[in-house]
């Protein structure tokens, strides 16, 4: 696992966007796994700026969702399909037909989960998966004590996660209780995992995930098992890392040819 400490969220977004631009130039039809929420917005905004300037052509890029609420209609503004279309697909000029996501409005959720895992396999697998981390260490919606081998499935959200996400709805009562999420095992199949965390509120979860033991109680700790995982954190989110100085030194000495 590589840990990169940046000054702020903007710098983190630009760093990851540069890595995405390099991926697109290397593989124009790469499959990019995207996370939602406020944390990854600087990534998408920085990459969209590169697209707008003509520095990179992302039109052949394919995009897939990490998770989706259960019970919200596809057109609901806070369904993750709507969010990804609004924040990623449209700004990058990607064809909507190149967008993969699970169906959270179907009556047969288990079938939808199995179908999504199969769709990811049929698409050749995820080339780069963007991740955030919850204050309790969850990735995707794999809440604490999720199986580290789990596949795409339905999960019940914790009260903390529903409260964290209530800011996107008019009230807590409108936040769904269930989601479809890629499982930890599914996430670990991506060729490159990039987790962005910003703010002091994520510091404890980051420290547990990076420096603590691999344990289901901290789902993000599973990234320690991946051969190509990158954790990008701002100074505030890095504040509880015991090895922060080491991470700074190793990144400063990193050869340019290695990339992110």
């Amino acid at each position: 696992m590589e840990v990169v400490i940046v000054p702020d969220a903007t710098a983190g977004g630009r760093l990851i966007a540069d890595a995405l631009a390099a991926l697109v130039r290397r593989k124009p039809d790469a499959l990019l796994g995207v996370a939602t929420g406020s944390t990854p917005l600087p990534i998408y905004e920085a990459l969209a700026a590169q697209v707008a300037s003509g520095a990179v052509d992302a039109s052949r890029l394919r995009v897939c969702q990490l998770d989706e609420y259960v019970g919200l209609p596809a057109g609901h503004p806070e369904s993750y399909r709507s969010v990804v279309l609004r924040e990623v697909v449209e700004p990058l000029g990607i064809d909507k037909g190149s967008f993969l996501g699970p169906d959270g409005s179907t009556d047969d959720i288990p079938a939808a989960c199995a179908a999504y895992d199969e769709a990811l396999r049929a698409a050749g697998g995820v080339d780069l998966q963007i991740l955030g981390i919850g204050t309790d260490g969850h990735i995707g919606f794999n809440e604490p004590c999720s199986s580290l081998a789990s596949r795409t499935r339905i999960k019940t959200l914790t009260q903390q996660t529903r409260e964290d996400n209530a800011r996107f709805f008019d009230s807590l009562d409108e936040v769904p209780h269930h989601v479809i999420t890629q499982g930890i095992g599914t996430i670990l199949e991506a060729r490159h995992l990039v987790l962005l965390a910003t703010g002091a509120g994520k510091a404890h979860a980051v420290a547990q995930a990076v420096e603590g033991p691999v344990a289901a109680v901290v789902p993000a700790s599973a990234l320690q098992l991946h051969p190509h995982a990158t954790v990008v954190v701002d100074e505030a989110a890095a504040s509880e890392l015991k090895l922060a100085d080491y991470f700074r030194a190793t990144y400063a000495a990193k050869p340019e040819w290695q990339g992110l």
Side-chain angles (χ1 to χ4, degrees), residues 49-226:
Q50 292 196 40
V51 169
S53 71
V56 64
D57 178 5
S59 61
R60 292 175 58 195
L61 190 66
R62 297 173 295 156
V63 172
C64 62
Q65 286 177 249
L66 184 60
D67 38 45
E68 181 60 274
Y69 285 119
V70 170
L72 293 184
H76 190 286
E78 293 307 323
S79 75
Y80 286 135
R81 180 177 183 84
S82 294
V83 172
V84 172
L85 286 171
R86 185 168 64 240
E87 296 179 351
V88 183
V89 174
E90 293 173 2
L92 297 183
I94 300 170
D95 190 305
K96 291 182 181 179
S98 299
F99 177 33
L100 298 174
D103 184 0
S105 61
T106 181
D107 291 332
D108 192 344
I109 295 297
C113 295
Y116 190 48
D117 260 5
E118 177 54 36
L120 294 176
R121 283 192 290 269
V126 178
D127 290 292
L128 189 151
Q129 176 66 58
I130 296 171
L131 298 168
I133 186 171
T135 54
D136 58 2
H138 73 255
I139 51 174
F141 277 116
N142 295 284
E143 301 286 15
C145 291
S146 291
S147 166
L148 300 184
S150 55
R151 308 300 304 176
T152 299
R153 68 213 188 285
I154 188 171
K155 288 292 289 183
T156 301
L157 299 180
T158 64
Q159 182 67 12
Q160 180 64 58
T161 298
R162 292 185 67 243
E163 290 175 358
D164 287 346
N165 287 4
R167 67 189 187 278
F168 299 113
F169 293 82
D170 291 334
S171 70
L172 177 61
D173 291 339
E174 293 186 13
V175 182
H177 286 268
H178 298 93
V179 291
I180 292 174
T181 184
Q182 286 189 35
I184 297 173
T186 308
I187 290 170
L188 291 177
E189 290 178 351
R191 296 177 182 89
H192 186 188
L193 301 177
V194 179
L195 186 152
L196 176 63
T198 58
K202 301 295 180 69
H204 186 62
V206 166
Q208 287 185 306
V210 171
E211 297 177 339
V214 176
V217 73
V218 183
S221 66
L223 270 66
Q224 296 180 36
L225 302 173
H226 196 277

Side-chain angles (χ1 to χ4, degrees), residues 235-252:
E235 291 289 350
S239 61
E240 294 190 27
L241 289 172
K242 297 177 181 177
L243 297 176
D245 288 342
Y246 171 71
F247 296 139
R248 290 188 182 94
T250 55
Y251 185 68

